[in-house]
Amino acid sequence: MKFRMTLKHIEPVTHDTHHLVFDRPEEFEYSPGQGVELRLLKDGWEDEGRPFTPVTLPHEPTLEFIIKSYPDHHGVTEQISVMKAGDEVEIKGPFGAISDQGPGVFIAGGAGITPMIAVLRKRLHDHGTLEGSTLVFANKTEADIIWRDRFEAMKGLRTAFVADERGTSVPQQRLDRDYLRQFVEPERRCYLCGPPPMMDAVREALHDLGVKDDRIVEEKM
């Protein structure tokens, strides 16, 4: 189904990421972790749909997104970064394979964090704690980390942040087998979302650590 929405509020989250707030259409139903196709109702952009994942929960009155912009692409995300309250969009969906399947290791790269936000928020809402879950979040730089303070404040959640470039408080580290073994056991549920090369490498590392495909919950971007 298609739904039309009006932007209520937009604010920066990091140097290239924005938080967008819309009123949730009453008939729009979804599960945390699912995404939608979003189109800008703006001349020349109506046919340029892109997938994004709401970070809010179905019982909440708003539908909110955390969207990273790529100005050098001169595409939809660049246009989103300059949106203003009152601008309109159309969404279609929901769709997606990531859902709450219990506690586990949430492994995200860059913008792949958004389905994880939704599932972690759902689990925290339902259980009051994220005890037994770990977030491993990789970014290009320390400045790219989305929602770091919020993740660190989530009750019971163990967090590990890494980057391609060394930061003041974030190690320069790839998500390889030797690094992941401290978080992963063969029977652990592993959630995975990020750029395809990162997902391929992490999936291989998880297999090397004894994690079978039926224990991996993943979404390709």
Side-chain angles (χ1 to χ4, degrees):
M1 296 182 66
K2 295 180 180 179
F3 302 90
R4 193 173 181 132
M5 304 189 305
T6 302
L7 181 64
K8 293 181 62 178
H9 181 68
I10 181 171
E11 64 180 359
V13 177
T14 68
H15 62 100
D16 62 357
T17 305
H18 290 82
H19 180 191
L20 294 86
V21 180
F22 301 87
D23 283 323
R24 181 177 63 82
E26 290 185 6
E27 297 181 357
F28 177 67
E29 298 180 357
Y30 67 104
S31 297
Q34 286 188 307
V36 300
E37 182 184 84
L38 185 147
R39 298 173 183 268
L40 303 178
L41 297 183
K42 179 179 180 180
D43 287 345
W45 295 94
E46 296 92 335
D47 296 328
E48 299 290 334
R50 295 292 185 274
F52 300 108
T53 304
V55 298
T56 35
L57 304 183
H59 72 273
E60 295 176 318
T62 56
L63 197 64
E64 304 180 20
F65 299 86
I66 303 292
I67 298 179
K68 186 178 181 69
S69 61
Y70 300 89
D72 56 328
H73 293 182
H74 303 295
V76 172
T77 61
E78 181 185 36
Q79 294 297 313
I80 287 174
S81 70
V82 295
M83 287 181 69
K84 298 178 181 178
D87 288 347
E88 293 186 313
V89 303
E90 180 183 83
I91 61 169
K92 181 180 180 181
F95 56 82
I98 290 186
S99 63
D100 179 11
Q101 298 186 31
V105 182
F106 293 77
I107 306 170
I113 192 63
T114 53
M116 312 299 190
I117 291 175
V119 174
L120 289 170
R121 291 193 67 234
K122 176 187 182 299
R123 292 197 57 75
L124 189 58
H125 175 266
D126 291 348
H127 304 283
T129 181
L130 291 170
E131 194 70 36
S133 288
T134 299
L135 172 65
V136 182
F137 188 16
N139 285 274
K140 289 184 178 180
T141 72
E142 184 172 3
D144 292 319
I145 300 174
I146 297 168
W147 268 34
R148 181 176 181 175
D149 291 346
R150 296 198 188 193
F151 289 131
E152 291 176 334
M154 288 182 175
K155 184 178 179 180
L157 181 66
R158 180 185 181 188
T159 57
F161 304 105
V162 300
D164 293 341
E165 300 176 14
R166 186 177 301 278
T168 56
S169 64
V170 176
Q172 184 179 22
Q173 174 66 54
R174 300 188 69 82
L175 299 183
D176 56 24
R177 178 186 61 188
D178 290 340
Y179 179 74
L180 291 173
R181 70 168 65 253
Q182 63 186 302
F183 311 110
V184 174
E185 298 174 359
E187 295 305 314
R188 287 277 278 168
R189 179 80 64 193
C190 294
Y191 297 79
L192 175 60
C193 191
M198 168 261 183
M199 291 182 63
D200 291 342
V202 170
R203 192 184 306 108
E204 182 177 352
L206 294 177
H207 289 164
D208 288 346
L209 292 169
V211 180
K212 298 187 182 300
D213 284 333
D214 63 1
R215 303 298 292 174
I216 302 175
V217 183
E218 63 178 311
E219 190 74 77
K220 293 186 177 179
M221 298 187 65

